[in-house]
Amino acid sequence: MIERVKVAVVGAGFMGQLHARTVNECDSAELVAIVDLNESLGQEVAARYGSSYVRNVEELLEKDSVDTFIVALPDRLHVDVTSKILLAGKSVLLEKPMADTLEGARQIAEAEKKGGGRLMVAHLLRFDPRYVGAANAVANGSIGEVVHVSAKRFSLRNVGKRLAGSSSVCFYLGVHDVDALQWVSGKRITSVYARSVAKLMPSYGINSEDAIFANFQYDDGTIGSLEISWALPDYMPSGINANLEVVGTEGVVRLDTSDHGLNVINQSGVVLPDGLHWPEVNNQIVGDLRDEILHFITAVRDGNEFVISVEEAMRAVAVNDAILKSVESGVPVDVERI
């Protein structure tokens, strides 16, 4: 019998609950604890899955009762908690982004080196068969040499309202595509020029932009662009409106995620349910999130490499850092090299 990896989920919010449920349904893992400062929420989620509730990670690190941690906190809380876990020698699956600043990402990377724990940043698109297929097509030369790359991710206004200024549209949404723009193309973004607009969120009393559009230069002269927004009306049929296009000297890779193949239509309108990221099939979470968690648990248990390196996750933060600096300054900004 394969030994089950003992897992604690840190953060009982939306993503934390998804992670907790998925781990609980996983034969190779055991959900032993939920960690959250909100005692009522933490106890509720822990009771749902028959695990323990603790208020902070220090309690678990002192007892050494957990093999590995999943950190699903808001991105501005990643550095302190993740660093403590890594310094204790434990492995961490950290929800993207790695941190909300490049300085914070470097601190986490240093903690991994010092403590000996292993870090994987949960960039979900690394497990999306469409993006993996795009990356493979570019890597095997199917479209020749890359000329230009573009990506878009538009989501609903209720996402920005739910975040309420606790994260930037750049880090909460755009980091998916910043990673994909470099991973799929096989190239590093070296400079950024970005602009933002803020009309809707301020009208809700939220200190946040509505959208950021950015142009990129790659290390070999390739050019690219990214459009990210949480300004779509909440009555749109899907909150996942993303695409990626890579144009090469001998062809094109084109990816559109807006339609997962199922349309639900009634008098209330049209809904396009998620069919890949974390759909429920036969009362279990399947899809990209489950594949990501299974990969992490198996790699930790067997000592295998993760599909994304710490350096690659840091490069996404470095680009986002440059995007926000360009928005603030109004001029192009060089991306710090990782």
Side-chain angles (χ1 to χ4, degrees):
M1 181 179 293
I2 297 175
E3 184 179 352
R4 301 177 76 192
V5 177
K6 293 181 173 59
V7 181
V9 173
V10 185
F14 175 74
M15 285 306 300
Q17 290 185 41
L18 278 173
H19 278 284
R21 177 180 171 183
T22 306
V23 170
N24 191 62
E25 294 171 352
C26 177
D27 291 338
S28 56
E30 178 185 359
L31 180 65
V32 296
I34 299 293
V35 184
D36 201 286
L37 291 176
N38 185 327
E39 184 173 348
S40 60
L41 177 61
Q43 287 185 340
E44 175 193 334
V45 176
R48 189 186 308 163
Y49 300 115
S51 60
S52 300
Y53 163 74
V54 297
R55 185 174 173 80
N56 55 64
V57 296
E58 286 86 350
E59 295 181 47
L60 295 174
L61 294 174
E62 289 169 2
K63 297 176 182 177
D64 197 30
S65 57
V66 175
D67 298 319
T68 191
F69 290 76
I70 296 175
V71 175
L73 294 169
D75 50 10
R76 291 172 182 169
L77 300 178
H78 284 186
V79 177
D80 182 57
V81 171
T82 306
S83 296
K84 285 179 181 177
I85 298 170
L86 291 170
L87 287 170
K90 300 293 185 178
S91 296
V92 177
L93 176 63
L94 174 61
E95 258 302 328
K96 60 78 193 165
M98 186 172 173
D100 67 316
T101 66
L102 184 54
E103 179 184 356
R106 285 187 170 127
Q107 185 175 328
I108 291 172
E110 186 63 25
E112 185 200 39
K113 291 178 182 177
K114 287 183 177 179
R118 298 179 63 199
L119 173 66
M120 175 177 148
V121 180
H123 279 279
L124 193 68
L125 299 186
R126 297 285 183 134
F127 297 87
D128 187 315
R130 299 163 300 187
Y131 284 86
V132 173
N136 290 341
V138 174
N140 68 24
S142 294
I143 62 168
E145 183 182 353
V146 176
V147 178
H148 58 82
V149 190
S150 61
K152 181 192 84 171
R153 185 167 302 271
F154 291 174
S155 195
L156 307 178
R157 296 172 190 178
N158 65 19
V159 175
K161 288 188 281 188
R162 176 167 57 86
L163 272 291
S166 66
S167 183
S168 163
V169 67
C170 182
F171 273 96
Y172 190 77
L173 293 178
V175 74
H176 284 296
D177 306 281
V178 168
D179 176 56
L181 282 163
Q182 298 186 98
W183 158 53
V184 172
S185 69
K187 303 178 187 299
R188 188 176 66 86
I189 295 171
T190 55
S191 67
V192 173
Y193 177 57
R195 304 294 286 175
S196 70
V197 60
K199 296 181 179 180
L200 286 166
M201 291 303 135
S203 75
Y204 305 134
I206 297 171
N207 181 23
S208 172
E209 67 283 299
D210 302 323
I212 295 177
F213 285 19
N215 291 322
F216 303 129
Q217 184 87 42
Y218 285 84
D219 50 5
D220 68 342
T222 297
I223 59 173
S225 66
L226 172 63
E227 302 173 9
I228 43 177
S229 165
W230 48 33
L232 293 182
D234 293 331
Y235 52 75
M236 291 289 287
S238 173
I240 303 173
N241 299 273
N243 58 46
L244 177 74
E245 185 172 75
V246 185
V247 175
T249 56
E250 298 177 24
V252 178
V253 169
R254 185 173 292 162
L255 188 159
D256 184 355
T257 72
S258 58
D259 184 353
H260 289 188
L262 174 64
N263 288 221
V264 179
I265 306 167
N266 58 29
Q267 291 180 336
S268 300
V270 180
V271 177
L272 307 178
D274 166 39
L276 285 169
H277 292 331
W278 47 75
E280 182 178 312
V281 178
N282 299 323
N283 299 314
Q284 286 199 324
I285 296 291
V286 299
D288 304 340
L289 181 66
R290 181 178 177 83
D291 291 344
E292 177 182 71
I293 290 173
L294 285 173
H295 166 76
F296 171 73
I297 289 170
T298 302
V300 168
R301 185 194 66 203
D302 299 342
N304 298 331
E305 293 296 316
F306 297 135
V307 297
I308 179 171
S309 69
V310 172
E311 289 74 20
E312 288 174 305
M314 288 180 69
R315 288 187 194 115
V317 176
V319 173
N320 270 11
D321 199 57
I323 288 174
L324 293 183
K325 287 178 179 176
S326 181
V327 166
E328 183 178 359
S329 65
V331 299
V333 172
D334 290 338
V335 177
E336 290 196 42
R337 189 176 184 90
I338 303 298

